[in-house]
């Protein structure tokens, strides 16, 4: 009867936190590879998108007006097309990256 | 004499098993994660081609669950210590519940996810 992975993981972390050993350098020294970069970007975009959805959701619950009202307000700002395009890109890029890379993970 | 003793020809504990009292929870969770991912992927063209309440609510559910499980993995990777893990996961449950509630509220009271995206992009 062995121990579970969780038990072993806990034991490892408890022992190492107690001994106050310095952490061996990792992200700061290893040469970055494409798979590494793509993987962390996938995670980063995922977290960002998730938080974005949650923020939108909370706004829907808390703000007094409805969506078309706020959209009209933004439209009334008459922002330049460059700014609007950049904003759309800022939304679309993480979404697209995460989606396409996600497909790569699934196949 | 004792050192000359050979190992038994067959493992006396029997054929390899998953382990004592193990459950399939982890592997089912993994499969569930992939299933929801595929579902969410399918909802994207659906949202574009047939916008409406069915897709809106399905998106709310799939998006929230996919995000909940994803953030859960991030917590598992980076948060250590029993109390910290429990606190982080509890916070995550609260966030996900609020997110799902908010999205459903938006679908019910406001224009709905599909319409909102279409309206936003028309800017």
């Amino acid at each position: 009867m062995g121990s579970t992975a969780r038990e072993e993981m806990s034991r490892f972390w408890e022992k190492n936190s107690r001994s106050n050993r310095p952490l061996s350098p990792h992200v700061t020294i290893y040469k970055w590879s494409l798979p590494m970069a793509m993987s962390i970007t996938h995670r980063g975009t995922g977290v960002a998108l998730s938080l974005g959805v949650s923020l939108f959701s909370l706004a829907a619950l808390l703000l007094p007006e409805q969506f078309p009202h706020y959209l009209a307000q933004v439209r009334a700002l008459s922002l330049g097309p460059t700014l609007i395009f950049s904003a759309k890109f800022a939304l679309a890029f993480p979404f697209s990256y995460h989606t396409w890379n996600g497909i790569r993970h699934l196949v | 004499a004792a050192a000359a003793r050979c190992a038994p020809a067959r493992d006396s504990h029997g054929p390899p098993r998953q382990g004592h009292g193990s459950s399939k929870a982890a592997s089912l969770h993994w499969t569930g994660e992939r299933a929801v991912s595929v579902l969410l992927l399918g909802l994207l063209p659906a949202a574009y081609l047939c916008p409406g309440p069915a897709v809106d609510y399905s998106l709310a559910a799939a998006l929230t669950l996919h995000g909940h499980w994803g953030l859960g993995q991030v917590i598992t990777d980076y948060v250590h210590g029993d109390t910290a893990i429990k606190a982080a996961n509890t916070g995550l449950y609260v966030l996900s519940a609020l997110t799902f509630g908010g999205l459903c509220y938006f679908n019910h009271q406001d224009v709905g996810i599909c319409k909102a995206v279409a309206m936003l992009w028309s800017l």
Side-chain angles (χ1 to χ4, degrees):
Chain A
M1 177 164 133
S3 54
T4 64
R6 176 167 303 192
E7 286 163 14
E8 290 183 24
M9 213 163 71
S10 286
R11 261 191 272 137
F12 170 84
W13 280 106
E14 278 157 29
K15 177 175 124 182
N16 277 286
S17 327
R18 242 182 295 131
S19 58
N20 287 321
R21 293 172 180 162
L23 189 61
S24 154
H26 49 298
V27 288
T28 44
I29 59 164
Y30 291 160
K31 183 178 160 84
W32 279 90
S33 60
L34 185 62
M36 270 168 82
M38 289 186 73
S39 177
I40 192 62
T41 310
H42 187 79
R43 178 161 271 190
T45 51
V47 173
L49 289 166
S50 235
L51 295 180
V53 170
S54 292
L55 222 68
F56 175 81
S57 195
L58 292 173
L61 287 169
L62 298 172
L63 293 176
E65 299 292 340
Q66 298 215 320
F67 186 71
H69 172 95
Y70 295 110
L71 204 62
Q73 277 189 327
V74 173
R75 205 182 289 269
L77 291 173
S78 302
L79 299 168
T82 328
L83 190 56
I84 294 186
F85 180 83
S86 307
K88 287 184 180 177
F89 186 84
L91 282 176
F93 181 75
F95 180 83
S96 304
Y97 180 89
H98 190 83
T99 304
W100 293 112
N101 200 207
I103 294 174
R104 200 173 63 86
H105 277 287
L106 281 175
V107 300
Chain B
R5 206 176 344 135
C6 305
R10 187 182 306 167
D11 184 354
S12 54
H13 295 293
R17 292 178 232 112
Q18 269 177 295
H20 181 85
S22 68
S23 75
K24 286 189 68 175
S27 89
L28 285 174
H29 184 258
W30 187 91
T31 309
E33 285 179 329
R34 316 298 122 162
V36 167
S37 298
V38 172
L39 175 70
L40 187 54
L41 205 55
L43 285 174
L44 298 180
Y48 183 76
L49 298 169
C50 336
V55 177
D56 278 341
Y57 284 101
S58 307
L59 266 177
L63 213 51
T64 320
L65 191 53
H66 183 75
H68 179 81
W69 279 343
L71 289 175
Q73 295 290 2
V74 175
I75 290 177
T76 309
D77 279 352
Y78 301 136
V79 179
H80 305 289
D82 289 326
T83 30
I85 291 176
K86 194 172 284 189
N89 279 116
T90 310
L92 178 61
Y93 264 103
V94 172
L95 182 67
S96 297
L98 285 173
T99 304
F100 184 62
L103 288 178
C104 287
Y105 176 79
F106 187 81
N107 284 335
H108 190 255
Q109 296 295 113
D110 213 319
V111 294
I113 300 176
C114 297
K115 191 84 176 76
V117 175
M119 288 171 75
L120 182 66
W121 231 249
S122 73
L123 215 53

